[in-house]
Every structure is written in C-alpha cells, then in structure tokens.
Amino acid sequence: MSRVLRIGGGQMGPTHKADSRQAVVRRMLDLLDQAKAQKCDFVVYPELALTTFFPRWYMTEPAEVDAWFEREMPSAATRPLFEQAAHDRIGLSFGYAELTADGHHFNTSILIDRDGKIVGKYRKVHLPGHSEFDPERAFQHLEKRYFEPGDLGFPVWRTMGGILGMCICNDRRWPETYRVMGLQGVELIVLGYNTPSVNSQKAEEGPEKRLFHHRLMVQAGAYQNSTWVVAVAKGGAEDGFPMIAGSIIVNPDGEIVAEAKTEHDELIVADCDLDATIFGKETIFDFKRHRRVEHYGRITSQTGVILPPQS
Ligand code: ING
C-alpha cells in the first residue's frame, strides 16, 4: 500500500504587530483551501504562525510579553482552523508561543491529525539570540528572554501512515536535531522558521547567504538521516524588518523538490513517498551497521569547545 503523502507547505508573508490572530487565521484558512483544492494530506505552517515575530521587540512588562502567548490550544481564534482541517481530512502543523498553566513560556509547534486531534507537541530546544537588550545589534533577537528551552526533547510520532517529527527554526542549524529523530526512524520532519534576512551582527551577511545556509542545513539534515524535511517560512518585511522566505520540501536524497517563489502567503506542494526513505536507511545510513558510538562521547558529554593542550 503506497505511503505517499501530498504535503503542502503553507508559507506565510509578513504578520505585523497590529495584525489580529483572527486575520492571521483567515490567511491560514485560505492556504488550507488551496491545499484542499490540490488534494493535500497535510499542511505545514511556520514558526510562531499566529503573530508577528515578537522576539525582535524589547519588552519589560510581563503582561505585554504574555499577550503574544496562547494559554490554550485550540484557542478561540484557531478553532476554525482545527475544524476546517478535520472537515477536509487534512493534517496540520503550526508553531505558536505557548504559555503553560504553571507559567512556563515555550516556542512550540503541534502536530494535528486528520481528525483535528493534537497528536504531538514540540518545544524549541535551540533558542538563538540573547536575553538582554543589545545596543550593538542592528535589531534585537530576544528568544532567550521570552522562551525557556524546550523540555520535551525531539520526539517522533506514528501518524499519517508514517513516522513524523518536528523541530523549529534554529533547531534546523544543529545536526543533533535531525539525528536524534533519525535514531527514532523519522520519515518526515516538518518545521517552521522566522529567519531575519540580515545578520544583526554582520551586515554583509544578507539574504543570499541566509538562503544558502537555510538550504544547506535542511538538505544535509534530510540526506544524512534519509528523511523528508519540509521547512516553511514566515517571510517578508514585518513592520519593516525583513525575513527570508525560501520555503522548501527536501527529499531523502537531500534534493529540493519544491521551493517557494515569493515572500508572501504561498502554498508549495510535493508528493512525499515515505517509502523513499527506506533505501538510505538500509544502506549508506543504516545507523546500526555503520555508526561507532564509542567515539561520539563528546557530543553528549561536552557543551562547549575544549581545546587541545598547547604542544
Ligand atoms: N531565527 C533564526 C534562525 O535560526 C538565526 C535565527 C538566524 C540564528 C541566522 C543564526 C543565524 O533561522 C530563529 N527564529 O531561530
């Protein structure tokens, strides 16, 4: 029985501070309608899909910060999305800022099956940026201020007829992210991202380099773990702050099979045969046969660099 999933990447253009969650959900519903028309089985939306990328703003008042977070999911604003997707028998993933009942703040994404049921949750592990206002930067990136590191690890779930996993934005820069899911047999990784077009500390690193790095790490992660990876942007200029688009669907050979052309709301689509992951998992990346864990100790015992002694 074929295990082909038609995946839609629901790239979103800019969402400004003043935009309501209801207006954003209407855009997500429009992308869902496009996905239904193209007979998609699953739609991937970006990181922090419901709001502007608020970590660019320095805030000191807890109430102002918490206004960007969701206390329940589905929330009133997102319930129409859950209901329409379940009606259309389409699975979803999207990212949002999560405020837990006991007061913890996470950059979160969820996996929703064809019945509209949340089957998986992931909380962003690798938080980039800084926690205090940095006057040296061209703009702020305060994820370490507003979020705690994820406490759920990198789980995978048996759903949609395969083994699916999630990560979020900066996680895609770290090979450990993909490998921990690869060691659980992941066949499809879905992720969203909000990536500034320019390096706030190195002006000459602009969108071309950022897009190069984006493609490089997603293609590498897919190939080195023989898995599909769907990476979906929120892009364009939010209140004047540009972010790259460049949403892509990458096959288990590391090839880009679909890529966004615009920096706006745009659906990209590809048929992802989950059985295409098998050859790589059984040959070049048959982890059981080829990995030598006795030499990998530093990867989990050491956080930073320990330089060799001076000779
Ligand atoms: N954004 C960026 C990302 O990892 C970043 C932050 C950009 C870090 C470029 C390092 C280099 O794509 C988020 N939200 O993680």
Side-chain angles (χ1 to χ4, degrees):
M1 183 239 189
S2 145
R3 294 198 306 142
V4 176
L5 287 177
R6 178 162 292 181
I7 303 290
Q11 174 178 290
M12 299 178 72
T15 295
H16 307 295
K17 278 182 90 169
D19 293 341
S20 70
R21 287 175 176 70
Q22 287 73 11
V24 170
V25 168
R26 278 196 295 274
R27 291 164 54 197
M28 297 172 80
L29 284 165
D30 180 53
L31 287 162
L32 182 63
D33 286 346
Q34 294 176 47
K36 180 185 177 184
Q38 295 200 48
K39 297 185 176 22
C40 289
D41 298 296
F42 193 93
V43 177
V44 182
Y45 291 106
E47 171 191 30
L48 295 176
L50 305 178
T51 65
T52 195
F53 185 71
F54 63 86
R56 69 168 64 92
W57 302 107
Y58 180 65
M59 295 175 274
T60 56
E61 289 304 314
E64 184 184 7
V65 174
D66 289 356
W68 296 108
F69 286 74
E70 312 302 325
R71 289 159 177 74
E72 58 181 5
M73 192 52 68
S75 56
T78 55
R79 198 171 302 283
L81 183 67
F82 281 71
E83 290 169 353
Q84 188 60 50
H87 175 269
D88 297 344
R89 310 294 299 149
I90 296 176
L92 302 178
S93 67
F94 67 85
Y96 64 94
E98 177 191 14
L99 175 54
T100 66
D102 53 352
H104 294 282
H105 297 72
F106 296 107
N107 186 341
T108 294
S109 66
I110 48 176
L111 199 53
I112 302 159
D113 68 10
R114 296 179 195 276
D115 300 321
K117 183 169 158 294
I118 298 175
V119 295
K121 175 180 281 188
Y122 169 73
R123 290 167 173 162
K124 187 174 183 179
V125 166
H126 299 100
L127 297 172
H130 46 110
S131 53
E132 295 304 328
F133 185 85
D134 181 349
E136 300 301 310
R137 289 173 181 250
F139 50 87
Q140 306 299 301
H141 195 113
L142 292 156
E143 290 196 58
K144 291 185 191 295
R145 183 181 184 82
Y146 301 130
F147 302 120
E148 299 170 55
D151 58 354
L152 302 174
F154 298 103
V156 301
W157 297 272
R158 287 187 183 279
T159 184
M160 303 295 297
I163 300 175
L164 275 62
M166 291 186 281
C167 66
I168 299 176
C169 202
N170 194 258
D171 288 321
R172 77 190 190 287
R173 297 180 189 278
W174 301 93
E176 295 88 343
T177 300
Y178 303 93
R179 184 50 48 89
V180 170
M181 288 189 272
L183 286 166
Q184 301 172 77
V186 75
E187 298 170 318
L188 169 62
I189 296 173
V190 297
L191 70 97
Y193 60 94
N194 288 221
T195 300
S197 297
V198 181
N199 187 323
S200 63
Q201 298 171 289
K202 188 179 170 189
E204 59 268 33
E205 183 179 311
E208 295 73 25
K209 181 61 73 67
R210 288 257 151 138
L211 282 162
F212 165 71
H213 287 157
H214 160 64
R215 296 182 185 109
L216 177 68
M217 49 202 175
V218 174
Q219 288 178 264
Y223 168 65
Q224 291 171 340
N225 296 278
S226 192
T227 178
W228 290 89
V229 182
V230 182
V232 176
K234 174 147 59 71
E238 294 191 329
D239 296 298
F241 292 87
M243 296 194 293
I244 62 169
S247 302
I248 49 178
I249 300 176
V250 179
N251 73 16
D253 274 337
E255 297 162 310
I256 296 173
V257 298
E259 184 159 14
K261 296 178 179 57
T262 75
E263 290 194 336
H264 309 297
D265 292 10
E266 177 182 347
L267 185 76
I268 60 173
V269 178
D271 286 341
C272 302
D273 181 356
L274 300 183
D275 287 340
T277 65
I278 293 171
F279 181 75
K281 290 182 192 293
E282 289 185 347
T283 55
I284 182 86
F285 293 112
D286 178 348
F287 293 159
K288 187 170 178 354
R289 251 180 345 121
H290 299 305
R291 294 183 73 240
R292 304 302 314 180
V293 293
E294 66 271 23
H295 298 299
Y296 302 164
R298 287 182 187 273
I299 289 179
T300 57
S301 64
Q302 209 178 295
T303 301
V305 170
I306 298 175
L307 295 172
Q310 295 292 353
S311 49

mmCIF file of all heavy atoms in Angstrom, residues 230-262:
data_model
loop_
_atom_site.group_PDB
_atom_site.id
_atom_site.type_symbol
_atom_site.label_atom_id
_atom_site.label_comp_id
_atom_site.label_asym_id
_atom_site.label_seq_id
_atom_site.Cartn_x
_atom_site.Cartn_y
_atom_site.Cartn_z
ATOM 1 N N VAL A 230 10.317 19.211 5.481
ATOM 2 C CA VAL A 230 9.512 20.314 4.939
ATOM 3 C C VAL A 230 9.756 21.531 5.819
ATOM 4 O O VAL A 230 9.480 21.489 7.025
ATOM 5 C CB VAL A 230 8.018 19.958 4.925
ATOM 6 C CG1 VAL A 230 7.195 21.094 4.322
ATOM 7 C CG2 VAL A 230 7.783 18.663 4.148
ATOM 8 N N ALA A 231 10.322 22.574 5.245
ATOM 9 C CA ALA A 231 10.707 23.774 6.005
ATOM 10 C C ALA A 231 9.929 24.967 5.460
ATOM 11 O O ALA A 231 10.056 25.293 4.270
ATOM 12 C CB ALA A 231 12.209 24.021 5.888
ATOM 13 N N VAL A 232 9.129 25.591 6.326
ATOM 14 C CA VAL A 232 8.166 26.608 5.864
ATOM 15 C C VAL A 232 8.390 27.935 6.592
ATOM 16 O O VAL A 232 8.428 27.983 7.822
ATOM 17 C CB VAL A 232 6.724 26.117 6.084
ATOM 18 C CG1 VAL A 232 5.714 27.186 5.701
ATOM 19 C CG2 VAL A 232 6.481 24.833 5.286
ATOM 20 N N ALA A 233 8.500 28.986 5.820
ATOM 21 C CA ALA A 233 8.851 30.319 6.340
ATOM 22 C C ALA A 233 7.633 31.154 6.672
ATOM 23 O O ALA A 233 6.566 31.013 6.061
ATOM 24 C CB ALA A 233 9.664 31.085 5.291
ATOM 25 N N LYS A 234 7.846 32.041 7.647
ATOM 26 C CA LYS A 234 7.076 33.273 7.663
ATOM 27 C C LYS A 234 8.099 34.292 7.174
ATOM 28 O O LYS A 234 9.175 34.435 7.808
ATOM 29 C CB LYS A 234 6.560 33.601 9.069
ATOM 30 C CG LYS A 234 5.873 34.944 9.155
ATOM 31 C CD LYS A 234 4.727 34.997 10.177
ATOM 32 C CE LYS A 234 5.122 34.693 11.561
ATOM 33 N NZ LYS A 234 5.943 35.773 12.147
ATOM 34 N N GLY A 235 7.860 34.930 6.041
ATOM 35 C CA GLY A 235 8.871 35.779 5.425
ATOM 36 C C GLY A 235 8.336 37.164 5.121
ATOM 37 O O GLY A 235 7.232 37.522 5.537
ATOM 38 N N GLY A 236 9.174 37.936 4.407
ATOM 39 C CA GLY A 236 8.786 39.304 4.071
ATOM 40 C C GLY A 236 9.109 40.249 5.217
ATOM 41 O O GLY A 236 9.652 39.855 6.249
ATOM 42 N N ALA A 237 8.769 41.522 5.012
ATOM 43 C CA ALA A 237 9.153 42.554 5.990
ATOM 44 C C ALA A 237 8.005 42.779 6.971
ATOM 45 O O ALA A 237 6.931 43.256 6.590
ATOM 46 C CB ALA A 237 9.500 43.853 5.271
ATOM 47 N N GLU A 238 8.235 42.420 8.240
ATOM 48 C CA GLU A 238 7.264 42.636 9.309
ATOM 49 C C GLU A 238 7.596 43.969 9.985
ATOM 50 O O GLU A 238 8.684 44.126 10.551
ATOM 51 C CB GLU A 238 7.307 41.494 10.335
ATOM 52 C CG GLU A 238 6.858 40.149 9.767
ATOM 53 C CD GLU A 238 6.657 39.105 10.849
ATOM 54 O OE1 GLU A 238 7.359 39.165 11.876
ATOM 55 O OE2 GLU A 238 5.796 38.216 10.659
ATOM 56 N N ASP A 239 6.691 44.915 9.879
ATOM 57 C CA ASP A 239 6.945 46.248 10.442
ATOM 58 C C ASP A 239 8.331 46.763 10.039
ATOM 59 O O ASP A 239 9.047 47.363 10.848
ATOM 60 C CB ASP A 239 6.812 46.205 11.979
ATOM 61 C CG ASP A 239 5.387 45.853 12.400
ATOM 62 O OD1 ASP A 239 4.472 46.646 12.067
ATOM 63 O OD2 ASP A 239 5.188 44.783 13.011
ATOM 64 N N GLY A 240 8.701 46.439 8.800
ATOM 65 C CA GLY A 240 9.964 46.959 8.270
ATOM 66 C C GLY A 240 11.170 46.077 8.513
ATOM 67 O O GLY A 240 12.265 46.366 8.022
ATOM 68 N N PHE A 241 11.003 44.958 9.199
ATOM 69 C CA PHE A 241 12.130 44.056 9.484
ATOM 70 C C PHE A 241 12.052 42.863 8.535
ATOM 71 O O PHE A 241 11.176 42.009 8.679
ATOM 72 C CB PHE A 241 12.085 43.577 10.941
ATOM 73 C CG PHE A 241 12.355 44.656 11.947
ATOM 74 C CD1 PHE A 241 11.327 45.457 12.424
ATOM 75 C CD2 PHE A 241 13.648 44.897 12.386
ATOM 76 C CE1 PHE A 241 11.577 46.464 13.347
ATOM 77 C CE2 PHE A 241 13.910 45.901 13.316
ATOM 78 C CZ PHE A 241 12.868 46.690 13.800
ATOM 79 N N PRO A 242 12.951 42.751 7.554
ATOM 80 C CA PRO A 242 12.844 41.707 6.527
ATOM 81 C C PRO A 242 13.261 40.335 7.043
ATOM 82 O O PRO A 242 14.199 40.203 7.831
ATOM 83 C CB PRO A 242 13.799 42.179 5.430
ATOM 84 C CG PRO A 242 14.807 43.023 6.135
ATOM 85 C CD PRO A 242 14.101 43.652 7.311
ATOM 86 N N MET A 243 12.507 39.322 6.575
ATOM 87 C CA MET A 243 12.858 37.938 6.870
ATOM 88 C C MET A 243 12.856 37.168 5.558
ATOM 89 O O MET A 243 12.066 37.462 4.656
ATOM 90 C CB MET A 243 11.845 37.315 7.843
ATOM 91 C CG MET A 243 11.839 37.987 9.225
ATOM 92 S SD MET A 243 10.973 37.021 10.469
ATOM 93 C CE MET A 243 9.301 37.128 9.840
ATOM 94 N N ILE A 244 13.727 36.165 5.469
ATOM 95 C CA ILE A 244 13.792 35.376 4.231
ATOM 96 C C ILE A 244 12.537 34.520 4.107
ATOM 97 O O ILE A 244 11.904 34.161 5.099
ATOM 98 C CB ILE A 244 15.035 34.450 4.186
ATOM 99 C CG1 ILE A 244 15.007 33.423 5.327
ATOM 100 C CG2 ILE A 244 16.326 35.254 4.154
ATOM 101 C CD1 ILE A 244 16.063 32.310 5.191
ATOM 102 N N ALA A 245 12.213 34.180 2.852
ATOM 103 C CA ALA A 245 11.148 33.211 2.610
ATOM 104 C C ALA A 245 11.843 31.891 2.262
ATOM 105 O O ALA A 245 12.493 31.317 3.121
ATOM 106 C CB ALA A 245 10.228 33.695 1.493
ATOM 107 N N GLY A 246 11.709 31.410 1.009
ATOM 108 C CA GLY A 246 12.512 30.251 0.630
ATOM 109 C C GLY A 246 12.043 28.927 1.195
ATOM 110 O O GLY A 246 12.824 28.009 1.434
ATOM 111 N N SER A 247 10.709 28.808 1.436
ATOM 112 C CA SER A 247 10.188 27.516 1.941
ATOM 113 C C SER A 247 10.548 26.398 0.966
ATOM 114 O O SER A 247 10.487 26.591 -0.247
ATOM 115 C CB SER A 247 8.673 27.608 2.081
ATOM 116 O OG SER A 247 8.329 28.669 2.960
ATOM 117 N N ILE A 248 10.915 25.238 1.511
ATOM 118 C CA ILE A 248 11.344 24.127 0.658
ATOM 119 C C ILE A 248 10.823 22.790 1.160
ATOM 120 O O ILE A 248 10.555 22.632 2.361
ATOM 121 C CB ILE A 248 12.894 24.021 0.564
ATOM 122 C CG1 ILE A 248 13.546 24.074 1.952
ATOM 123 C CG2 ILE A 248 13.448 25.070 -0.367
ATOM 124 C CD1 ILE A 248 15.074 23.927 1.939
ATOM 125 N N ILE A 249 10.695 21.864 0.221
ATOM 126 C CA ILE A 249 10.428 20.459 0.535
ATOM 127 C C ILE A 249 11.609 19.669 -0.008
ATOM 128 O O ILE A 249 11.949 19.812 -1.198
ATOM 129 C CB ILE A 249 9.095 19.979 -0.077
ATOM 130 C CG1 ILE A 249 7.923 20.812 0.482
ATOM 131 C CG2 ILE A 249 8.885 18.488 0.213
ATOM 132 C CD1 ILE A 249 6.560 20.493 -0.119
ATOM 133 N N VAL A 250 12.269 18.932 0.860
ATOM 134 C CA VAL A 250 13.509 18.229 0.508
ATOM 135 C C VAL A 250 13.307 16.724 0.663
ATOM 136 O O VAL A 250 12.750 16.272 1.662
ATOM 137 C CB VAL A 250 14.675 18.686 1.411
ATOM 138 C CG1 VAL A 250 15.965 17.946 1.069
ATOM 139 C CG2 VAL A 250 14.882 20.192 1.278
ATOM 140 N N ASN A 251 13.744 15.961 -0.337
ATOM 141 C CA ASN A 251 13.535 14.502 -0.316
ATOM 142 C C ASN A 251 14.662 13.800 0.435
ATOM 143 O O ASN A 251 15.666 14.423 0.794
ATOM 144 C CB ASN A 251 13.346 13.974 -1.750
ATOM 145 C CG ASN A 251 14.634 13.952 -2.557
ATOM 146 O OD1 ASN A 251 15.745 14.047 -2.029
ATOM 147 N ND2 ASN A 251 14.491 13.837 -3.874
ATOM 148 N N PRO A 252 14.558 12.504 0.685
ATOM 149 C CA PRO A 252 15.557 11.799 1.500
ATOM 150 C C PRO A 252 16.947 11.741 0.862
ATOM 151 O O PRO A 252 17.917 11.415 1.539
ATOM 152 C CB PRO A 252 14.964 10.385 1.644
ATOM 153 C CG PRO A 252 13.504 10.561 1.402
ATOM 154 C CD PRO A 252 13.379 11.666 0.412
ATOM 155 N N ASP A 253 17.041 12.105 -0.429
ATOM 156 C CA ASP A 253 18.369 12.211 -1.066
ATOM 157 C C ASP A 253 18.962 13.603 -0.900
ATOM 158 O O ASP A 253 20.035 13.906 -1.437
ATOM 159 C CB ASP A 253 18.247 11.908 -2.577
ATOM 160 C CG ASP A 253 18.341 10.416 -2.852
ATOM 161 O OD1 ASP A 253 18.919 9.691 -1.999
ATOM 162 O OD2 ASP A 253 17.830 9.960 -3.887
ATOM 163 N N GLY A 254 18.220 14.484 -0.213
ATOM 164 C CA GLY A 254 18.712 15.848 0.001
ATOM 165 C C GLY A 254 18.392 16.791 -1.147
ATOM 166 O O GLY A 254 18.892 17.917 -1.181
ATOM 167 N N GLU A 255 17.528 16.364 -2.033
ATOM 168 C CA GLU A 255 17.193 17.228 -3.192
ATOM 169 C C GLU A 255 15.966 18.082 -2.899
ATOM 170 O O GLU A 255 14.993 17.575 -2.311
ATOM 171 C CB GLU A 255 16.913 16.343 -4.422
ATOM 172 C CG GLU A 255 18.122 15.533 -4.878
ATOM 173 C CD GLU A 255 17.729 14.373 -5.792
ATOM 174 O OE1 GLU A 255 16.802 13.623 -5.392
ATOM 175 O OE2 GLU A 255 18.341 14.228 -6.859
ATOM 176 N N ILE A 256 16.010 19.333 -3.319
ATOM 177 C CA ILE A 256 14.858 20.220 -3.158
ATOM 178 C C ILE A 256 13.857 19.880 -4.250
ATOM 179 O O ILE A 256 14.178 19.974 -5.439
ATOM 180 C CB ILE A 256 15.286 21.694 -3.249
ATOM 181 C CG1 ILE A 256 16.220 22.063 -2.098
ATOM 182 C CG2 ILE A 256 14.049 22.610 -3.264
ATOM 183 C CD1 ILE A 256 16.828 23.445 -2.189
ATOM 184 N N VAL A 257 12.658 19.467 -3.867
ATOM 185 C CA VAL A 257 11.639 19.077 -4.862
ATOM 186 C C VAL A 257 10.535 20.122 -4.998
ATOM 187 O O VAL A 257 9.721 20.058 -5.924
ATOM 188 C CB VAL A 257 11.025 17.704 -4.522
ATOM 189 C CG1 VAL A 257 12.085 16.602 -4.558
ATOM 190 C CG2 VAL A 257 10.329 17.732 -3.168
ATOM 191 N N ALA A 258 10.512 21.107 -4.066
ATOM 192 C CA ALA A 258 9.558 22.212 -4.197
ATOM 193 C C ALA A 258 10.131 23.402 -3.435
ATOM 194 O O ALA A 258 10.744 23.219 -2.373
ATOM 195 C CB ALA A 258 8.197 21.831 -3.623
ATOM 196 N N GLU A 259 9.973 24.593 -3.981
ATOM 197 C CA GLU A 259 10.532 25.791 -3.340
ATOM 198 C C GLU A 259 9.635 26.981 -3.640
ATOM 199 O O GLU A 259 9.146 27.154 -4.763
ATOM 200 C CB GLU A 259 11.945 26.068 -3.863
ATOM 201 C CG GLU A 259 12.608 27.267 -3.152
ATOM 202 C CD GLU A 259 14.128 27.262 -3.270
ATOM 203 O OE1 GLU A 259 14.677 26.499 -4.098
ATOM 204 O OE2 GLU A 259 14.774 28.012 -2.500
ATOM 205 N N ALA A 260 9.410 27.805 -2.611
ATOM 206 C CA ALA A 260 8.555 28.985 -2.781
ATOM 207 C C ALA A 260 9.231 29.987 -3.707
ATOM 208 O O ALA A 260 10.458 30.105 -3.745
ATOM 209 C CB ALA A 260 8.286 29.616 -1.425
ATOM 210 N N LYS A 261 8.402 30.733 -4.435
ATOM 211 C CA LYS A 261 8.921 31.734 -5.381
ATOM 212 C C LYS A 261 8.738 33.163 -4.867
ATOM 213 O O LYS A 261 9.317 34.103 -5.396
ATOM 214 C CB LYS A 261 8.195 31.596 -6.728
ATOM 215 C CG LYS A 261 8.442 30.248 -7.428
ATOM 216 C CD LYS A 261 7.655 30.141 -8.726
ATOM 217 C CE LYS A 261 7.937 28.799 -9.423
ATOM 218 N NZ LYS A 261 7.596 27.670 -8.490
ATOM 219 N N THR A 262 7.892 33.311 -3.838
ATOM 220 C CA THR A 262 7.565 34.668 -3.391
ATOM 221 C C THR A 262 7.910 34.816 -1.916
ATOM 222 O O THR A 262 8.323 33.859 -1.260
ATOM 223 C CB THR A 262 6.045 34.938 -3.550
ATOM 224 O OG1 THR A 262 5.355 34.224 -2.500
ATOM 225 C CG2 THR A 262 5.545 34.500 -4.915
#
